[in-house]
Each structure stands twice: as structure tokens, then as C-alpha cells.
Amino acid sequence: MKRLSEEKTKIFFEKLSKYIGPNIKLLIDRPDGTYCFREKKNRVYYVSERILKLAENIKQDYLISVGTCFGKFTKTNKFILHITALNYLAPYAQYKIWVKPSSEQQFLYGNHIPKSGMGRITENTPQYQGVIVYSMSDLPLGFGVAAKSTMECKTADPLVTVCFHQADIGEYVRSESTLL
């Protein structure tokens, strides 16, 4: 596992800051130790430095991964955030959208969120800002991008899309069905 290059670090942190803003520092310096990001085969992993030192004793050919996969870099050097990062990013989210129970299933099937399915939205959410999507019972469901700002949502038509789907916890179930 290698350190991210300067260019990839910049791209990766820009993507993270889209969802959690300046709270990236809180991911690295945690009360339970220092964590870091490492890359293997274009995938970025979030791992404790203590675990990373133990993993150095394993030959690289035998090491598949260490830590939690946060996402991957594409061939065009863009970063795609994976749903496995949700539990780490949700507590630090700056902007959130809550989905009504009637629209949760549609979001988990990979659909965008219409205004009629939105329960609440964080105040002053700008348009095209990364958001964490929650159920009304505060369970993180996935990632999205705000299609409308908070002010535009108030006056929007009920059928207008207010959040573009990026990733959701239903991906586990959908991807498992393709593996069988």
C-alpha cells in the first residue's frame, strides 16, 4: 500500500470536502489514534497507522486490502466515492437531506429524490453541493448532490428533482444479485 501522490491527494480531499467540508482533519486525528489514507490498485483505503504498521509484515502480493475502502480513482483520474465510506462521513456531514419513508425505497433502488419525497434539508444548502441522505429516523442511506438550493426547494414543484443520486446502501443488495 502506497501513499497517495500529491495530485491524487488533492483530488481525493476535494471530493471529501464536498461532503464534509473542513472536518477532514477529524477523520485523520481521532481520539482512538491517527488514521491515514493509502492507495492500492487505484483504490483509497482508510486505515489506522497502528494497523498499517502491522500490515507491513505481509508481502504485498498477498495483501488484498487493509482498512475501509473509501473509493477509487478512474482511468481519467477522477475519484468515485464508495458507499463503504458512508459510516465514516455521515457524522461529519455539513449538508443533509432527509427522505420521507414513502421515498426511501425509491432512493435505495438508485433513483433521484423528488421534492415530494424530501422530508427536510439543511438550511443554506447551495445548489450542486454534496449531501448525505438520511431517513427520517436519522439513518444514513447514501450520498447525493443537491439539485436545488434550500431556497429553490421551498418554491419548487413537487415533481422536481431536489437531489441527484450518487450512491446508496441498497448497492450491496443490487451488486450481490449480479454476482450470483
Side-chain angles (χ1 to χ4, degrees), residues 108-122:
L108 295 177
Y109 284 156
N111 296 318
H112 302 311
I113 302 171
K115 184 186 180 222
S116 61
M118 181 183 76
R120 298 191 317 231
I121 187 169
T122 307

Side-chain angles (χ1 to χ4, degrees), residues 19-156:
Y19 291 94
I20 62 174
N23 294 332
I24 296 171
K25 294 178 281 197
L26 300 174
L27 279 177
I28 296 169
D29 293 323
R30 291 178 26 174
D32 59 340
T34 304
Y35 282 67
C36 58
F37 296 101
R38 292 291 185 262
E39 178 186 5
K40 184 169 176 85
K41 295 183 179 177
N42 286 331
R43 296 189 187 287
V44 177
Y45 295 91
Y46 179 62
V47 62
S48 165
E49 286 187 348
R50 187 175 59 82
I51 304 278
L52 190 61
K53 286 180 184 174
L54 293 171
E56 289 174 356
N57 297 326
I58 300 171
K59 191 175 175 184
Q60 287 297 314
D61 295 342
Y62 299 125
L63 187 67
I64 296 173
S65 72
V66 173
T68 303
C69 182
F70 260 47
K72 70 176 184 177
F73 283 98
T74 63
K75 291 179 181 175
T76 58
N77 227 14
K78 292 183 179 166
F79 186 76
I80 298 173
L81 202 57
H82 285 185
I83 195 64
T84 49
L86 181 64
N87 290 336
Y88 294 97
L89 300 183
Y92 305 116
Q94 284 187 309
Y95 301 104
K96 304 173 185 177
I97 289 181
W98 287 265
V99 179
K100 292 179 181 175
S102 59
S103 292
E104 276 181 34
Q105 190 172 15
Q106 289 302 311
F107 180 74
L108 295 177
Y109 284 156
N111 296 318
H112 302 311
I113 302 171
K115 184 186 180 222
S116 61
M118 181 183 76
R120 298 191 317 231
I121 187 169
T122 307
E123 274 304 312
N124 301 321
T125 301
Q127 188 175 18
Y128 305 123
Q129 175 65 45
V131 295
I132 305 290
V133 178
Y134 284 86
S135 68
M136 292 304 281
S137 57
D138 284 334
L139 175 73
L141 299 175
F143 302 110
V145 174
K148 304 277 182 197
S149 67
T150 304
M151 295 305 293
E152 291 171 324
C153 285
K154 291 178 181 176
T155 59

Side-chain angles (χ1 to χ4, degrees), residues 3-10 39 77:
R3 292 179 186 266
L4 278 86
S5 67
E6 196 171 314
E7 179 189 355
K8 285 187 175 183
T9 301
K10 182 177 183 256
E39 178 186 5
N77 227 14

Side-chain angles (χ1 to χ4, degrees), residues 160-180:
V160 168
T161 300
V162 293
C163 180
F164 297 121
H165 177 273
Q166 295 291 309
D168 64 80
I169 58 176
E171 286 179 18
Y172 288 123
V173 178
R174 290 195 304 271
S175 66
E176 187 175 296
S177 66
T178 60
L179 296 174
L180 298 176

